[in-house]
Amino acid sequence: MTNPSTITANAPAGERLRKAAVYGQSLLPPILSAVVVLGLWEAAVRTYSIPAYLLPAPSLVFEVLIDKFPMLMRQLGFTAMASAIGFFIALISGIAIGAAISAWHVFDRAIYPWLVISHAIPKVVIAPLFLVWFGFGMTSEVLFVVVFTFFPIIVNTVAGLKGADPEMLQMARSMSATPLKVLWKIKIPGALPTIFAGIKISATMAPVGAVIGEFVASNVGLGHVLIQAVGSLETPLAFAAVVVISIFGIIVWYAAEALERVSIPWHASQRISTTG
Amino acid sequence: MSATRSIAGANQRRDIVLDGVSKRYGTLHAYGPISFTVEDGTSVSIVGPSGCGKSTLLRTIAGLEPSTDGVARFAGQPITKPLENVGIVFQRDLLLDWRNALDNVLLPAEFRGTCDDATKERAARLLDQLGVGGFKQAYPWQLSGGMRQRVAIARSMVCHPAMLLLDEPFSALDALTRDQMNVLVQDVRQNENVTTILITHSIAEAVFLGDRVLVMSGRPGQILDDIAIPFPRPRRLSLREEPEFTEIVRRIRIHFERTGILVG
């Protein structure tokens, strides 16, 4: 057809172009569906003259978002801080409790039912109790985030550590490994992919927990903004706050994914990006 | 470790001696009673049918699975806990996905707290000898089955084991790779002069790699025959077509035919 050397020389550029095209194509459906949904929403509000306090048009929400942006960002700062502190407490205590459960059978039997019960209780219902127990402010909010997010971390840590390959452990025994070294060099690295699955779930739940905490026990943060806005029928502002919380949640998810990619590049779930 | 080696060497040979050893799990009689000696520096192959307890026997020798009767000794000492000075290669390579080839080889040295520069050099040299020197930084998932098993062999050798236990190490590999591995293992163990016990299903492999072949019966596994393999080393793969070789293979096969394990 053509000179083979020309093909080779052009291949990288062509390959890049092809990949960009594939990526673009994969972005098209979500963008298209968003345009359609927002367009229909906007059209419906205008056509039926729905009042803004009932359902604001996307364009109005956007307007408020721009107008109140500095305030929303300041309030997001409070929510983000409570989420982060609560999440890290949940992360560290969750991994520690998970490790203890997987290591000691008695501890497992003693504590696991309580964990399941604590998970089964609807958290939103107990949020006001936190106000009674820990007072109005950051402490209640942070502790609520902890309670809201620790379960997936514990469950995944236990699953990861208990899932260690028995043959691998036998091999370690044949190498005279101490239990601590087995934990450090085999069990924990092997459990990381599972633990990360829990981290990703918990990290995105943390801002939700913080917002619920702010509903009842705070006079700052996006949860507070939301409850105030709804109370005074400033529905466009409430929508703007929801948009900010959602975008923050998405950023947290991708941050957790990026951390996962850096931490466990060897895992099967991450290999496509390293080879392709 | 060299101190252990010289003391043991001076006082007595590091033979593996099994005396009436047998293993039961409740009513299930896995193997035995079995008695044999593997002399220091020699290579013994154990060939037997599936489920005859040969892998359990190997774990008993490694100190991972205590016997219910009889005594297994290494260098005169009864084996009651996992032996420190043993390298094991399992059927699965059991490489850690998060470590590259070199770091996988260094794992036993890290466990024992003996991972110094000399050990790292030795690990690199072993990988070179085994023909995977170019893949020291590669992760297990980037290696083929044969390459992974070579890394596992290097790992078993890195701490200068006094005893090398091979538990059907090549049964998951294709025939051609398996032949290559047979030659490689022969070379490595020759260089290291390490006492070796190989568990295998392959009669030809058992004969090729062993100074002796022990033939095991079905469960409960017992020794049916103990055959000395007279061929000098290093052996070439073409040896397997020699009449003397095929005669030994035939002798082993007849054992299996007689006991109904092989038919035809």
Side-chain angles (χ1 to χ4, degrees):
Chain A
M1 200 168 64
T2 45
N3 185 347
S5 64
T6 338
I7 295 170
T8 327
N10 288 339
E15 181 70 5
R16 265 204 303 278
L17 211 63
R18 196 187 60 79
K19 272 189 183 166
V22 169
Y23 186 62
Q25 270 172 14
S26 73
L27 278 182
L28 208 57
I31 290 174
L32 219 60
S33 69
V35 168
V36 169
V37 169
L38 290 177
L40 283 175
W41 178 357
E42 184 83 33
V45 170
R46 282 169 192 248
T47 312
Y48 300 107
S49 307
I50 300 172
Y53 71 85
L54 216 56
L55 182 69
S59 57
L60 181 60
V61 174
F62 187 70
E63 218 171 90
V64 174
L65 191 64
I66 299 297
D67 192 35
K68 300 277 169 89
F69 195 70
M71 182 276 285
L72 287 169
M73 284 302 108
R74 206 169 50 248
Q75 299 303 327
L76 173 65
F78 292 113
T79 309
M81 188 153 77
S83 313
I85 297 171
F87 170 72
F88 280 111
I89 294 173
L91 178 68
I92 290 162
S93 58
I95 289 178
I97 294 171
I101 286 175
S102 69
W104 295 297
H105 191 62
V106 179
F107 190 70
D108 180 1
R109 298 294 293 272
I111 201 167
Y112 213 79
W114 291 104
L115 288 173
V116 175
I117 290 168
S118 79
H119 185 58
I121 294 171
K123 306 291 179 303
V124 184
V125 177
I126 58 164
L129 284 176
F130 277 64
L131 181 62
V132 176
W133 292 334
F134 307 108
F136 193 83
M138 194 73 157
T139 314
S140 279
E141 200 187 329
V142 166
L143 288 175
F144 189 72
V145 173
V146 174
V147 173
F148 206 68
T149 57
F150 79 113
F151 194 75
I153 294 175
I154 292 185
V155 170
N156 282 281
T157 304
V158 172
L161 291 176
K162 279 191 176 173
D165 186 337
E167 277 192 293
M168 208 75 102
L169 299 179
Q170 177 175 272
M171 178 190 73
R173 260 183 78 212
S174 81
M175 294 172 180
S176 315
T178 60
L180 202 65
K181 280 189 175 171
V182 171
L183 181 71
W184 193 242
K185 290 184 187 291
I186 293 185
K187 285 188 175 176
I188 289 179
L192 276 182
T194 323
I195 295 176
F196 261 106
I199 287 177
K200 287 200 296 194
I201 296 169
S202 288
T204 40
M205 278 165 68
V208 181
V211 165
I212 298 174
E214 284 159 357
F215 281 175
V216 290
S218 179
N219 55 4
V220 290
L222 287 173
H224 178 69
V225 171
L226 197 61
I227 215 98
Q228 289 276 315
V230 171
S232 55
L233 290 182
E234 287 179 84
T235 315
L237 179 59
F239 269 79
V242 169
V243 169
V244 172
I245 295 164
S246 306
I247 290 173
F248 180 62
I250 293 167
I251 291 169
V252 167
W253 171 268
Y254 281 107
E257 277 214 324
L259 185 68
E260 183 183 29
R261 244 194 317 279
V262 173
S263 307
I264 49 168
W266 49 268
H267 191 247
S269 64
Q270 310 300 327
R271 281 176 207 163
I272 297 152
S273 56
T274 50
T275 53
Chain B
M1 200 170 67
S2 58
T4 331
R5 190 167 262 222
S6 59
I7 291 164
N11 294 340
Q12 65 182 106
R13 295 153 51 88
R14 294 173 307 164
D15 295 349
I16 302 161
V17 181
L18 270 64
D19 190 1
V21 173
S22 71
K23 176 78 185 177
R24 290 166 201 273
Y25 298 95
T27 54
L28 180 82
H29 192 178
Y31 68 76
I34 286 177
S35 302
F36 64 82
T37 299
V38 180
E39 288 170 356
D40 194 0
T42 63
S43 172
V44 168
S45 303
I46 301 177
V47 60
S50 288
C52 73
K54 50 192 193 311
S55 288
T56 314
L57 177 65
L58 201 74
R59 285 206 297 278
T60 301
I61 295 169
L64 295 168
E65 188 98 49
S67 61
T68 24
D69 295 299
V71 184
R73 285 194 172 81
F74 175 61
Q77 300 297 316
I79 301 167
T80 52
K81 57 180 192 339
L83 290 175
E84 282 191 17
N85 212 2
V86 59
I88 309 182
V89 182
F90 299 91
Q91 183 178 341
R92 285 171 56 207
D93 53 69
L94 298 176
L95 298 182
L96 302 178
D97 281 339
W98 50 92
R99 288 175 163 243
N100 64 30
L102 188 64
D103 288 340
N104 261 296
V105 173
L106 289 169
L107 185 71
E110 288 179 23
F111 278 149
R112 288 172 185 143
T114 58
C115 192
D116 52 13
D117 285 347
T119 313
K120 285 177 190 159
E121 272 171 38
R122 175 172 165 78
R125 210 167 45 243
L126 279 167
L127 287 172
D128 289 338
Q129 273 176 33
L130 285 158
V132 279
F135 297 90
K136 295 186 184 86
Q137 305 303 324
Y139 284 86
W141 53 275
Q142 296 169 314
L143 303 174
S144 70
M147 289 159 107
R148 292 173 63 120
Q149 203 55 296
R150 290 172 201 220
V151 176
I153 292 169
R155 180 180 60 194
S156 72
M157 301 296 295
V158 73
C159 289
H160 299 279
M163 189 200 297
L164 179 63
L165 304 179
L166 307 169
D167 187 1
E168 299 178 32
F170 315 129
S171 53
L173 304 177
D174 63 90
L176 209 62
T177 310
R178 192 169 187 151
D179 287 352
Q180 283 177 344
M181 299 296 285
N182 281 348
V183 176
L184 275 171
V185 164
Q186 170 183 249
D187 293 349
V188 169
R189 70 161 301 279
Q190 201 76 359
N191 287 340
E192 303 279 331
N193 190 34
V194 57
T195 311
T196 307
I197 299 180
L198 165 73
I199 300 279
T200 180
H201 283 120
S202 159
I203 299 173
E205 186 171 274
V207 177
F208 182 79
L209 283 173
D211 296 319
R212 274 158 67 206
V213 174
L214 302 179
V215 184
M216 265 175 97
S217 67
R219 193 170 62 221
Q222 291 178 320
I223 306 297
L224 292 175
D225 201 356
D226 184 343
I227 305 163
I229 312 296
F231 311 114
R233 292 181 191 277
R235 296 172 185 167
R236 300 166 62 90
L237 284 171
S238 57
L239 172 70
R240 297 181 303 185
E241 281 113 52
E242 303 290 330
E244 297 92 331
F245 191 96
T246 50
E247 181 52 39
I248 295 171
V249 170
R250 202 178 72 86
R251 177 174 159 187
I252 297 170
R253 205 183 57 237
I254 286 170
H255 279 295
F256 292 145
E257 283 173 0
R258 251 191 226 139
T259 49
I261 292 156
L262 278 176
V263 182

